[in-house]
Amino acid sequence: MLRVEVEAQQQALAAVEVAVQGLSPEQQLELRNQLDQVLTCVSSLRSEVAELRGGLQDIAVQIIQDVKKGVEDSQRVRRRRHLVHRERTDSTGSSSIYFTASQGVTSAYETSEGGYSTAYAESDYTDRDTDKEEGEREPEQESEEDEDQSCATVLTLRQEDSQEEEVEERGLLEEDEEEEEEEEEERLQLVTEVPSGELALLLAQSDILHTGDASLKAEGFKLLLDNRAEYGDSREFLWRLARAYSDMYESTEDKQEKKSYAQQGQEEAESALKKNGLNAECHKWFAVLTELTSKHGSMHGKRKSSNILKEHLDRAIALRDDDPMCYYLLGRWCYEVATLDWLEKKAAAALYQSPPTATLHDALENFLKAEELSPAFSKTVRLHIAQCHQKLGNISEATNWTELALKTPTNSDDDETSELEAQLRVLTDRKI
């Protein structure tokens, strides 16, 4: 097994070497350093997984022992209750049978002052005939036979109860085995959430290619697409594949290709969410692909996607509050809602019982949070900050942020950013 992992690592490293041939020496050195750090992290992660697996096994064994002990204790208590109940029932039943069988004789007995029968008292029976004495013995024999029958009945009942207890114990044991199997499945699912060595190396390679230019991003997309059949059950793989679809969306100019990339990426992000709804990256990339898909839909679809976008951005931020991209996307959502015209607001009110609400201050707050978490995170973020200040009447702040944005290297050449930049250049021209 170790040999297979070593060979897989060597193959992955060879693939990385091929990928970085087009980079400069400085970029290659930086890439190799990052890859070394990733491999070190993978190695430490593997040891932590082994420790976690051992700890989970110990916990599972302890849980099983505690459950068995609890079942055995409850069975002992139940058996004691059954025994006490049977003893009292047997004594009462045999006495009632005895006195019922001898009722004809006891009716002739005298009763003492306390109300108790004084059967076979010598003063009452010394003058009786021998025949009567023999006649009196017959009911006694009958009572003894009846008592033997009652004892046999009690034994039969006890045997039936013991059989019922065996059936109950067998059922409890079967339930315990089912619970143990469920616990084992849950434990295995928890362990399998951690990527294996080969998958971890593949994900690390994908993360590195995602930070490169369009050609490297395309290579990363192809790498993930080729391994979709093997690792399609991993949420860590699926959200990265959704991210790769977003990269391909940004790199192409064809509208049909953009629409196809957006829709397929949204499907992969949705599959990742079904694997685990408590992963911030799954919610973030589902929100990103939902927004991209809405650009190619109807107005009603855009409004519906807008609500979905807001919901998943809130969940992503709740799970991880240090991602500047989430705050940037949330700021854009707030700005679009705050700048709806009268007709759009009426349409939203007609479509939804509680239409979305946001202000320019909300949008500015989210844009500033993205800038705070990662200064110069995006030229577009700074342009949006300047735009919010302009809408709020803070012309000096808008001018300063526009100048700062124009000095920031661009990371997006889309039409929306270019148009926004052209609008805000007016502020800097006025200052000159």
Side-chain angles (χ1 to χ4, degrees):
M1 186 66 182
L2 182 60
R3 182 179 178 182
V4 174
E5 292 182 358
V6 171
E7 291 178 356
Q9 291 179 359
Q10 291 176 352
Q11 293 176 0
L13 290 174
V16 174
E17 291 292 340
V18 174
V20 301
Q21 286 180 359
L23 301 178
S24 64
E26 293 80 6
Q27 291 175 334
Q28 292 182 12
L29 180 60
E30 182 180 358
L31 185 59
R32 289 193 178 93
N33 292 334
Q34 292 180 359
L35 187 57
D36 290 338
Q37 294 177 0
V38 171
L39 292 175
T40 303
C41 294
V42 170
S43 178
S44 61
L45 180 62
R46 186 178 299 162
S47 60
E48 292 178 1
V49 169
E51 294 178 0
L52 178 62
R53 186 175 300 166
L56 289 174
Q57 290 176 351
D58 295 338
I59 293 173
V61 171
Q62 184 64 38
I63 290 173
I64 293 171
Q65 291 177 352
D66 293 341
V67 170
K68 287 183 177 180
K69 184 179 179 182
V71 171
E72 291 174 356
D73 292 342
S74 63
Q75 289 176 353
R76 291 194 192 98
V77 173
R78 189 169 62 252
R79 286 172 183 171
R80 292 195 193 98
R81 291 175 180 174
H82 282 312
L83 289 174
V84 173
H85 178 69
R86 294 288 179 266
E87 289 173 359
R88 292 176 179 174
T89 305
D90 297 344
S91 61
T92 305
S94 61
S95 300
S96 61
I97 293 172
Y98 178 84
F99 286 109
T100 302
S102 58
Q103 185 175 1
V105 178
T106 55
S107 61
Y109 295 167
E110 293 182 359
T111 305
S112 63
E113 295 179 357
Y116 297 100
S117 309
T118 56
Y120 304 113
E122 293 182 359
S123 59
D124 296 334
Y125 294 98
T126 51
D127 296 333
R128 299 285 176 88
D129 296 335
T130 305
D131 296 338
K132 286 186 177 181
E133 290 178 358
E134 291 177 354
E136 290 173 356
R137 290 193 188 97
E138 293 178 358
E140 291 179 2
Q141 292 176 356
E142 292 177 358
S143 64
E144 290 177 357
E145 292 176 357
D146 293 336
E147 187 172 0
D148 292 337
Q149 292 178 358
S150 64
C151 293
T153 304
V154 170
L155 291 174
T156 303
L157 292 174
R158 287 184 178 178
Q159 290 177 355
E160 293 176 355
D161 291 336
S162 62
Q163 291 176 356
E164 291 177 358
E165 289 179 1
E166 290 179 358
V167 173
E168 291 178 358
E169 291 176 1
R170 193 177 300 112
L172 289 173
L173 291 175
E174 291 176 356
E175 291 178 359
D176 293 340
E177 291 177 357
E178 292 177 358
E179 291 178 356
E180 291 173 8
E181 292 177 357
E182 291 177 357
E183 291 174 357
E184 182 68 15
E185 290 177 358
E186 291 177 358
R187 186 180 67 82
L188 291 176
Q189 289 177 358
L190 181 61
V191 173
T192 53
E193 287 294 326
V194 180
S196 61
E198 296 180 3
L199 177 58
L201 190 60
L202 175 66
L203 299 180
Q205 188 177 355
S206 171
D207 292 338
I208 294 172
L209 294 174
H210 170 68
T211 59
D213 55 13
S215 62
L216 291 178
K217 289 180 178 180
E219 186 176 347
F221 172 70
K222 185 177 183 303
L223 176 67
L224 294 173
L225 209 59
D226 292 340
N227 290 273
R228 174 68 172 81
E230 184 175 0
Y231 299 113
D233 292 333
S234 169
R235 71 164 189 271
E236 295 293 330
F237 178 89
L238 288 174
W239 72 254
R240 283 174 171 84
L241 181 56
R243 181 183 65 184
Y245 273 108
S246 174
D247 292 338
M248 297 304 296
Y249 179 95
E250 298 296 338
S251 62
T252 187
E253 298 295 334
D254 186 85
K255 292 185 178 180
Q256 287 299 325
E257 289 184 359
K258 280 181 175 290
K259 182 178 179 180
S260 177
Y261 283 136
Q263 291 176 347
Q264 295 180 42
Q266 187 183 27
E267 292 175 1
E268 298 294 349
E270 185 177 2
S271 299
L273 275 177
K274 291 179 180 179
K275 299 292 182 183
N276 188 348
L278 296 178
N279 185 286
E281 294 293 335
C282 295
H283 286 286
K284 179 178 78 173
W285 290 107
F286 182 78
V288 171
L289 272 304
T290 298
E291 182 189 27
L292 296 180
T293 303
S294 67
K295 293 181 179 181
H296 304 275
S298 62
M299 183 61 65
H300 175 69
K302 290 181 180 180
R303 290 282 168 255
K304 185 177 180 180
S305 299
S306 176
N307 290 342
I308 296 174
L309 171 71
K310 174 64 163 55
E311 176 186 353
H312 287 277
L313 285 177
D314 288 340
R315 292 184 182 181
I317 291 175
L319 293 168
R320 180 184 171 187
D321 59 355
D322 60 349
D323 191 334
M325 187 175 182
C326 289
Y327 286 101
Y328 162 64
L329 294 173
L330 187 58
R332 285 181 53 177
W333 182 90
C334 293
Y335 182 85
E336 291 176 1
V337 172
T339 55
L340 289 176
D341 57 27
W342 180 84
L343 183 60
E344 290 174 329
K345 290 180 180 179
K346 290 296 182 181
L351 289 173
Y352 306 106
Q353 294 181 351
S354 55
T357 58
T359 64
L360 286 172
H361 290 285
D362 296 332
L364 179 59
E365 182 180 354
N366 284 291
F367 288 136
L368 290 174
K369 183 64 176 181
E371 177 71 17
E372 176 188 349
L373 291 172
S374 179
F377 161 70
S378 171
K379 178 180 182 178
T380 310
V381 171
R382 292 181 170 179
L383 288 173
H384 279 297
I385 293 175
Q387 186 182 36
C388 288
H389 279 299
Q390 182 189 28
K391 293 287 186 181
L392 292 171
N394 305 326
I395 303 302
S396 60
E397 286 290 331
T399 303
N400 293 335
W401 279 102
T402 301
E403 292 177 349
L404 191 60
L406 295 177
K407 296 177 183 178
T408 306
T410 182
N411 56 358
S412 177
D413 295 327
D414 59 357
D415 297 336
E416 183 181 354
T417 302
S418 301
E419 182 180 355
L420 179 59
E421 182 178 345
Q423 292 176 359
L424 293 172
R425 278 187 178 274
V426 178
L427 297 175
T428 57
D429 294 340
R430 288 178 182 176
K431 184 177 181 181
I432 294 174

